[in-house]
Amino acid sequence: MRSVAILGLCALALGACQSLQPKTPPHLAVAPPPPPAAAPAPVAPPPVVVKVPVPVKEACVPKTLPKAPKYPDTDAALRDAGGAADRYQLIAAGRVLREKRLAELEKVVDGCR
């Protein structure tokens, strides 16, 4: 009889264990904290506007510079000259005018630099 009593106690114990329900967690009165806010997306910096100065064209040739003279030693004048002495005088006169003109132009070029 003892064994029947032990067997009965075991069956009762097993039945009691199966009747137990899992316990639910206690209800919290405080709401859980909100999830952390997502970090804001990085904002691109505004574009940088670079102003490049545009060089202004300025004429460095003064308005007072006279036009080129009419040189006397043109091809036609040299062909029409009466002789070698006349041609030589035309070439010499043209050279004097060219040297004066070159001196004026050199002053202007030096001023432009």
Side-chain angles (χ1 to χ4, degrees):
M1 194 144 134
R2 231 175 164 187
S3 60
V4 175
I6 293 177
L7 199 52
L9 275 175
C10 285
L12 184 64
L14 284 176
C17 285
Q18 288 186 357
S19 68
L20 292 176
Q21 296 290 329
K23 292 184 178 180
T24 59
H27 181 65
L28 298 175
V30 179
V43 178
V48 178
V49 178
V50 177
K51 293 184 179 181
V52 178
V54 178
V56 178
K57 289 187 177 182
E58 293 182 21
C60 63
V61 178
K63 303 249 185 223
T64 59
L65 181 68
K67 292 187 177 186
K70 184 170 180 171
Y71 298 107
D73 56 347
T74 63
D75 289 339
L78 291 174
R79 266 187 258 127
D80 293 340
D86 293 335
R87 284 191 291 271
Y88 180 77
Q89 286 180 347
L90 291 173
I91 291 172
R95 180 176 179 170
V96 170
L97 290 175
R98 282 188 182 84
E99 285 177 353
K100 285 183 183 178
R101 179 71 175 169
L102 182 60
E104 291 173 355
L105 292 175
E106 286 297 324
K107 288 179 187 175
V108 170
V109 169
D110 287 341
C112 288
R113 290 185 182 163

